[in-house]
Amino acid sequence: MTKTIDITSAIRPKSDQLNADDLLTGPRTIRIRDVQVSTGEQPVSIFYDGDDGRPWKPAKSALRVLAAIWGPNAAKWIGMSCTLYNDEAVTWAGVAVGGIRVSHMEGLSKPRTLQLTKTRGKKAAVTIQPLTVEKASKLDKFRARLFQVAEDPEASVADAWAKIDEAMQSELGADLLDQLLAIEAAAQEHRATDPNAAVDALNDAIGGQ
């Protein structure tokens, strides 16, 4: 049997937060357990399962991605999962230093492209892929289906929730309903403000690429 010796802890940067160098060995999917907002250059700290007290302090571009898809109320992000990776093309003072980007997010049923500010007066398209979190129980399957409803322009979270019996509603929890409504509102805003949304919807309907 081949012996495995994990040196991840030995190469971890000495820092009080998650760094791009922590992702040199590959992307990492995190489940958010708390979000705190303070002051300073990095005002938002996102704590996640297994963070060892070293939160992720996302840059503005990453925060815009989270808010665009999950809604601007960060309390609704708790319990959600996303995948982070090291984008080595990120520069600082003209030097490529790497930075943490988001590639996948729970709550999406299909990829979503966002136009994010890159530099003053310039925007760049960023596409976020759906994140499938391992689901096994009946409760988890209900949860996954409700996330799909939240994104569907022809479906309603309120209507779908009303069709679930009270016992299942209680198990799912009111916090989940709040998350779903936030995702639904963010998806509606995206469709209303994105000039390509109507074309994308048409292409989806006719099977275009």
Side-chain angles (χ1 to χ4, degrees):
M1 183 175 67
T2 303
K3 186 177 182 180
T4 300
I5 303 176
D6 188 355
I7 64 165
T8 303
S9 60
I11 62 175
R12 177 182 299 165
K14 292 182 179 180
S15 173
D16 62 354
Q17 63 180 285
L18 184 70
N19 291 297
D21 284 353
D22 289 305
L23 305 174
L24 286 174
T25 55
R28 179 174 181 178
T29 296
I30 64 170
R31 181 181 180 276
I32 297 172
R33 62 179 178 83
D34 192 20
V35 181
Q36 297 178 8
V37 180
S38 59
T39 58
E41 293 184 0
Q42 296 176 298
V44 178
S45 295
I46 296 180
F47 294 85
Y48 52 92
D49 294 348
D51 60 24
D52 294 327
R54 300 171 66 242
W56 170 37
K57 297 184 178 182
K60 287 185 178 180
S61 58
L63 283 173
R64 291 186 181 111
V65 168
L66 300 180
I69 294 176
W70 288 341
N73 184 352
K76 304 299 184 291
W77 304 352
I78 296 172
M80 302 295 284
S81 298
C82 62
T83 300
L84 311 178
Y85 72 99
N86 178 8
D87 181 356
E88 297 180 356
V90 173
T91 61
W92 175 258
V95 179
V97 295
I100 298 176
R101 302 294 198 203
V102 181
S103 62
H104 297 67
M105 290 177 65
E106 188 180 14
L108 290 175
S109 60
K110 60 182 180 180
R112 185 179 301 176
T113 299
L114 307 170
Q115 296 292 333
L116 300 179
T117 300
K118 188 174 182 180
T119 57
R120 182 173 296 181
K122 293 184 179 180
K123 291 191 174 184
V126 174
T127 300
I128 306 300
Q129 301 293 331
L131 173 64
T132 301
V133 179
E134 197 67 33
K135 305 292 181 184
S137 69
K138 181 179 179 181
L139 188 71
D140 287 333
K141 290 179 180 177
F142 263 94
R143 188 170 181 266
R145 174 57 186 144
L146 286 167
F147 279 133
Q148 292 178 342
V149 169
E151 276 200 289
D152 189 340
E154 298 182 1
S156 162
V157 166
D159 289 345
W161 186 265
K163 294 177 182 177
I164 301 173
D165 63 66
E166 291 186 4
M168 181 59 72
Q169 286 181 355
S170 179
E171 283 193 71
L172 290 167
D175 287 346
L176 175 62
L177 177 58
D178 288 343
Q179 286 178 333
L180 292 165
L181 292 171
I183 291 172
E184 182 177 55
Q188 290 172 346
E189 181 179 358
H190 173 70
R191 288 192 292 270
T193 58
D194 181 2
N196 296 317
V199 175
D200 291 342
L202 178 60
N203 284 335
D204 288 340
I206 64 177
Q209 298 297 321

